[in-house]
Amino acid sequence: MYVQQMTMLLLRKTGPTAARTKYCRLFSASRTHLNDRKGLVLGAFEKEGDEAGLHLTEAAASFDKNISGKLSELLKISGPTLKKGRSRIFYGIHEDFPCVAVVGLGKTSAGVCASENWDTSKENIRQAASAGCRLLQDLEVNHVEVDGCGDAQSAAEGAALGLFQYDQLKSKKKTKVTTQLHGSSDSAGWQKGVKYADGQNLARLLMEAPANHVTPTAFANTIEERLAVLSERVTVNKRSQAWIEQQQMGAFLSVSRGSEEPPVFLELHYNGSPDSKQPPLLLVGKGITFDSGGISLKPSPSMDAMRADMGGAATVCASIVTAAALKLPINIIGLAPLCENMPSGKATKPGDVVTAKNGKTIQVDNTDAEGRLVLADALCYGHTFNPRAIVNVATLTGAMDVALGSAATGVFTNSDWLWEQLHKASVVTGDRVWRMPLFQHYTRQVTDSQLADLNNIGKYSRSGGACTAAAFLREFVSAPHWAHLDIAVVRRGASPSAHARTG
């Protein structure tokens, strides 16, 4: 989910399936014994060049020395050289750690890879920590110490993201695992990674929960509760339908009118800068807590996944929770227009014309293209704060799946400077981005409307859908630094990253 990338942006969620695990059962241990004791995750690098074998991390080498080289010996006789992401588990080799998982980290020379657009070293560490923790969790070990592998922050992120599991509504739950740093003094880096991952897991929690549990009101209440302990720096405003009507947000209201659940316009202010007059960074997230498509009803297969159509709002709100936890020295405003998109006798009909907050009229030819409508009014409102930059995040178009698949988020922006900031953040976090076009070609498609100033799906609805959606949003932006992130596919977790379960 892109919470970490958004947090990295303030400072400056999926890819391949989880790595396969090789088990090496050298000793036995009872289930009771495992639950009473701790587990340990250690890392091992592949040696450089043609030389076979492993190079243990500093923490792993120290552990190996304490047990008279037994770990090195077992790694040599237990199978071929441990490759990146592969795991082996050993039992009974240390009295404090009945289970020890060793995970491959790849080459020590790994770093930023220009062709992959990420830091391979950080990704390998996240993957290793995640794989080791999940392996021990499956053995019902409830406390795990994790090797920092030279980057405690990345190790903490991998551990916490890998252990996340939405099972709140199940009778049988995964073993709850607590983690701590092992063999490193970089506790600050570890704690920072924990906070990053906690923010991402908050967004995942909101998106995985069923829509009858996370209504617009329930979503807003959840965020308010999370921010209560940070109220000294954060102000929460839950705007009612009456306020939305007073603001003349006709585009937003046209989406919410079909549902029995009242809309909520959630407004968060984080004041972290010593200079209260510092222009804020504005984050805007699409908050459709369930998207049936409205009168333009979606097909029933996979409609249940539309409970996560507020992924943009979840990302924005969780980013502010994380920024507040990290005490970042900047000012941020987060806006989340929250509602359901449902069919009913009151719902907007295809061909209806509605008026946005800025006075532009919109012909709604497809009620399933609703995200751009709620964002349009939120973007108009956001300009009143004179932000230094605007970033909106939305699960906006299926067309982004066709364009990029689950490998990266499509970024549409009018600012080279803002693109550079987002790209730099993505390399560090592993949440990859790719710049998409904002040609006038697409603008002409949404401004060529039979009945109104704009059409919500454009002249050629099946061609360049992600691009025409971005062009539509641009009609409500006058700020010089604006970016639209279409996370429609990467938010789904249909192809989970190597360090995160689906969700």
Side-chain angles (χ1 to χ4, degrees):
M1 283 263 255
Y2 278 69
V3 173
Q4 186 184 168
Q5 180 184 316
M6 296 302 297
T7 308
M8 284 298 297
L9 174 64
L10 306 181
L11 284 167
R12 341 167 247 287
K13 17 238 112 143
T14 46
T17 56
R20 290 170 291 176
T21 302
K22 184 170 182 178
Y23 296 87
C24 186
R25 299 180 181 274
L26 301 181
F27 295 86
S28 63
S30 69
R31 176 171 298 183
T32 301
H33 183 56
L34 290 176
N35 280 337
D36 289 344
R37 306 299 292 275
K38 299 180 293 187
L40 178 62
V41 175
L42 297 171
F45 294 100
E46 297 174 44
K47 288 187 176 179
E48 298 292 334
D50 297 329
E51 186 181 2
L54 293 171
H55 170 65
L56 297 178
T57 63
E58 184 178 343
S62 177
F63 178 85
D64 186 42
K65 183 178 180 180
N66 288 337
I67 57 173
S68 304
K70 189 183 296 184
L71 181 64
S72 295
E73 180 183 351
L74 290 173
L75 284 168
K76 287 178 183 177
I77 67 175
S78 61
T81 301
L82 200 61
K83 298 295 183 181
K84 180 184 72 174
R86 297 291 186 91
S87 302
R88 292 202 182 107
I89 186 164
F90 304 104
Y91 299 97
I93 61 175
H94 193 285
E95 61 180 357
D96 292 337
F97 301 103
C99 299
V100 178
V102 182
V103 187
L105 292 165
K107 302 287 188 181
T108 55
S109 60
V112 175
C113 179
S115 61
E116 287 294 327
N117 277 314
W118 63 19
D119 188 320
T120 303
S121 177
K122 289 181 176 293
E123 282 298 297
N124 290 351
I125 292 169
R126 292 181 186 115
Q127 180 179 350
S130 173
C133 287
R134 282 188 280 182
L135 176 56
L136 295 178
Q137 183 185 42
D138 288 341
L139 294 172
E140 300 184 3
V141 175
N142 52 28
H143 182 75
V144 177
E145 293 192 14
V146 182
D147 182 353
C149 303
D151 186 342
Q153 180 179 335
S154 294
E157 291 167 8
L161 292 172
L163 289 168
F164 173 84
Q165 179 80 31
Y166 184 82
D167 58 6
Q168 275 79 346
L169 304 177
K170 291 185 175 182
S171 300
K172 186 176 182 180
K173 303 180 189 296
K174 280 274 187 183
T175 300
K176 298 303 179 185
V177 179
T178 58
T179 60
Q180 72 179 69
L181 181 61
H182 176 86
S184 171
S185 60
D186 188 13
S187 58
W190 175 269
Q191 290 303 320
K192 187 176 182 181
V194 168
K195 289 175 182 176
Y196 272 50
D198 284 349
Q200 293 177 75
N201 286 339
L202 170 59
R204 297 167 82 190
L205 180 72
L206 289 165
M207 294 166 69
E208 280 296 302
N212 62 325
H213 285 237
V214 184
T215 62
T217 300
F219 182 110
N221 289 343
T222 298
I223 297 301
E224 184 178 39
E225 289 167 9
R226 287 299 184 103
L227 288 170
V229 296
L230 303 165
S231 59
E232 183 178 330
R233 294 187 174 212
V234 184
T235 303
V236 179
N237 294 311
K238 297 184 293 183
R239 310 294 194 183
S240 67
Q241 180 164 335
W243 181 91
I244 299 168
E245 291 170 351
Q246 184 182 27
Q247 291 293 314
Q248 297 182 314
M249 295 182 175
F252 179 21
L253 290 167
S254 75
V255 178
S256 68
R257 62 187 299 173
S259 174
E260 291 298 316
E261 291 289 342
V264 177
F265 192 93
L266 184 60
E267 182 178 326
L268 309 176
H269 291 250
Y270 168 67
N271 300 304
S273 173
D275 180 6
S276 61
K277 295 182 180 179
Q278 180 195 78
L281 171 65
L282 178 68
L283 305 178
V284 183
K286 170 187 169 184
I288 305 298
T289 58
F290 187 76
D291 182 16
S292 70
I295 297 297
S296 304
L297 195 66
K298 291 178 180 291
S300 58
S302 300
M303 192 192 286
D304 66 294
M306 290 299 101
R307 68 186 184 274
D309 205 28
M310 42 59 165
T315 298
V316 164
C317 294
S319 295
I320 291 180
V321 171
T322 305
L326 292 168
K327 299 181 180 179
L328 299 185
I330 58 173
N331 296 330
I332 313 167
I333 294 176
L335 304 178
L338 302 163
C339 71
E340 294 181 337
N341 183 24
M342 298 290 288
S344 75
K346 299 184 294 181
T348 296
K349 304 172 289 297
D352 284 359
V353 174
V354 300
T355 304
K357 180 174 172 59
N358 65 352
K360 289 188 177 182
T361 54
I362 305 166
Q363 182 176 337
V364 183
D365 275 353
N366 188 327
T367 63
D368 194 25
E370 84 299 331
R372 64 203 71 180
L373 298 176
V374 303
L375 287 173
D377 281 337
L379 287 168
C380 290
Y381 177 68
H383 278 74
T384 63
F385 299 105
N386 297 314
R388 61 185 299 195
I390 301 174
V391 179
N392 70 255
V393 189
T395 53
L396 206 63
T397 65
M400 189 52 67
D401 186 5
V402 178
L404 297 178
S406 61
T409 287
V411 176
F412 301 81
T413 179
N414 61 359
S415 169
D416 291 340
W417 169 80
L418 187 52
W419 161 250
E420 288 298 325
Q421 307 310 307
L422 288 165
H423 183 258
K424 287 177 183 177
S426 76
V427 170
V428 176
T429 64
D431 292 324
R432 294 182 289 194
V433 294
W434 193 258
R435 192 169 186 177
M436 301 290 287
L438 270 176
F439 302 146
Q440 285 298 311
H441 170 83
Y442 303 114
T443 299
R444 286 192 289 271
Q445 292 186 40
V446 297
T447 56
D448 185 3
S449 177
Q450 181 182 6
L451 302 175
D453 298 325
L454 301 169
N455 193 299
N456 79 321
I457 56 171
K459 191 172 183 179
Y460 309 109
S461 61
R462 291 184 60 83
S463 299
C467 300
T468 54
F472 179 91
L473 293 177
R474 192 179 190 180
E475 293 297 302
F476 301 89
V477 173
S478 59
H481 301 296
W482 161 74
H484 157 56
L485 278 60
D486 192 334
I487 62 169
V489 183
V490 295
R491 62 87 183 157
R492 283 205 303 244
S495 179
S497 71
H499 58 267
R501 286 191 175 101
T502 299

